[in-house]
Amino acid sequence: MKLAGRSLWEAAWARLNSLGGRTFVLLTIGITGAAVLSLTLTEMSRLRDFEALRINQLVARSVEIEQKISAASTEAEKADVMRQMLGARMHASPPPFRRNPALEAQLIEAMGKDSKPMAGPAARSACLPPDADGRVTTTNIGNGFELVLDCWVVSVVPQGDVRRAFAMFQPPVIMPVGSSSNPIYLFVLLASSALLSILVTRFITLPLRRLSDAATAFAASLDAPAADAHGPTEVKAALSTFNIMQARVRAGLRDRTQLLAAISHDLQTPLTRLRLRLENVEDETLRDRLVADVNATQVLVRQGLELARSQETTEPWSVVDIDSLVESLAEDAAEFGADVRFTAGCGSSVKVRPTGLARALNNLIDNGVKYGERVEISCQIEKDQILIRVRDHGPGLSDPDINRLFEPFIRGGAATTSAYRGTGIGLTIARALLEGSGASVRLLNHPTGGLVAEVSLPRR
């Protein structure tokens, strides 16, 4: 479980560490953060608006009380006015309170600078008569709901009069609860941000995936089609540059193949003349050695040309039955006297370049017959791969890096003895032909002896 958990973590980290993953994370965090910040600023703006509304209500009521008090001519009339004002009472002197600059500024605008207002919230007991229960600071607004009242004190200097103060109850302006702290809202916001980030990430990385697919196809086959160069300006430039590079690589390989073909063609004539002249050498032993060297040179030239051509193929892709192809190769080899048998099939078809695959398997079969005499060919399916195994019954190889034999002119084991003469290019040609079909090949020592060449084909 620990290994499985680690594997899942590594896979998740690999996805997040990709360009698409990083873009997704940045967009999700950025969109969510921007939405939360915008919502917070909106809540702060609403709070200021509600505070301004409360100040305006306090100013309107203060002006109303002051106007009615100023209109009364006697103290008895003033007392009667205050009794008619619900939740308001006069103070001989203002009690201690915390002044509110915003309220005072609004009172100056409404009453003038000469009023010299002093205003702010005070203890709720300041709004109650001396003989009242100080705990009575709520009012019933129906349905069993009681609203807590705030007490405000305003002290002004009326025109031509002494400073007087009055206290009044004012119900608070209740602002609806904001959604910025609501877990459901935050979850919906995060989910929508993630969904938008996924869509944007896929849209952004689509041209890069096209470039990656084109590079992968070009790595598997030199005649892969050019990438579709459309999209944003930068991506179009990158795809166009890649297509130019692809065309130049093809042209370079084509020129190299043509050069080798020309060299091979030009060498054939002098080598043939040389061989004919060697027939006139009287010393039979020397003549046989020289003819063998000329033949080896001709084989080397032909295989060098074949190697160059194997890396540049224009053969079309076709769907073939692997069992039929391998069985026919085994039968052809057996007709020429080789001990080659097809032992197991996989019953699968795959899209390949048939001629290239057949040539590659023939090279592997010829190597097995040459160095192992008896060859068995089998095919099986493992996960998303088709495995074709060409096993010989020779001595195998002790070299720990036996896959180096796929490099040009590298020979090992029995191939270096006088009984087994080879150029060291056959396996290189086989690998190049297999890579042209999107396949891979490796060499393995069989547990019971012999060497196994394992060809892996993707099940497209």
Side-chain angles (χ1 to χ4, degrees), residues 277-348:
R277 290 172 182 174
L278 289 176
E279 297 294 337
N280 297 324
V281 176
E282 296 181 357
D283 189 334
E284 184 177 352
T285 302
L286 177 61
R287 183 177 65 246
D288 291 342
R289 290 178 178 176
L290 292 175
V291 170
D293 289 339
V294 172
N295 290 337
T297 303
Q298 288 179 321
V299 171
L300 184 61
V301 170
R302 285 196 299 270
Q303 288 198 344
L305 177 60
E306 186 177 359
L307 174 61
R309 287 174 175 171
S310 67
Q311 297 176 346
E312 182 189 5
T313 177
T314 57
E315 181 188 1
W317 295 75
S318 300
V319 177
V320 299
D321 187 322
I322 293 297
D323 291 350
S324 299
L325 175 64
V326 175
E327 188 174 10
S328 64
L329 294 177
E331 292 175 353
D332 291 343
E335 287 181 0
F336 286 94
D339 189 358
V340 180
R341 290 181 299 168
F342 177 58
T343 59
C346 55
S348 181

Side-chain angles (χ1 to χ4, degrees), residues 69-147:
I69 293 175
S70 299
S73 57
T74 64
E75 291 298 327
E77 292 178 353
K78 292 179 180 179
D80 187 55
V81 168
M82 293 306 297
R83 281 193 298 269
Q84 295 176 6
M85 300 296 294
L86 183 62
R89 61 182 294 269
M90 296 295 296
H91 270 286
S93 61
F97 61 88
R98 178 169 45 87
R99 298 175 64 178
N100 188 311
L103 178 56
E104 291 178 355
Q106 293 287 339
L107 289 172
I108 289 175
E109 291 184 5
M111 300 181 181
K113 292 183 179 180
D114 295 337
S115 62
K116 299 176 183 179
M118 298 169 60
R124 292 186 177 90
S125 58
C127 291
L128 296 173
D131 57 347
D133 187 353
R135 292 173 297 178
V136 181
T137 56
T138 62
T139 182
N140 193 328
I141 60 175
N143 296 326
F145 181 76
E146 291 186 343
L147 180 66

Side-chain angles (χ1 to χ4, degrees), residues 364-426:
L364 297 178
I365 293 171
D366 290 343
N367 267 17
V369 171
K370 185 185 299 182
Y371 303 119
E373 297 182 358
R374 184 160 55 94
V375 174
E376 296 173 354
I377 310 174
S378 63
C379 176
Q380 69 180 76
I381 297 175
E382 289 188 4
K383 296 182 179 180
D384 58 346
Q385 299 289 320
I386 297 177
L387 300 181
I388 304 173
R389 293 188 174 95
V390 180
R391 181 201 171 187
D392 64 45
H393 289 264
L397 291 172
S398 59
D399 187 352
D401 193 12
I402 59 177
N403 287 294
R404 289 184 64 247
L405 296 179
F406 289 107
E407 299 177 7
F409 309 110
I410 299 295
R411 295 181 295 170
T416 59
T417 66
S418 58
Y420 300 95
R421 298 296 300 275
T423 60
I425 300 179

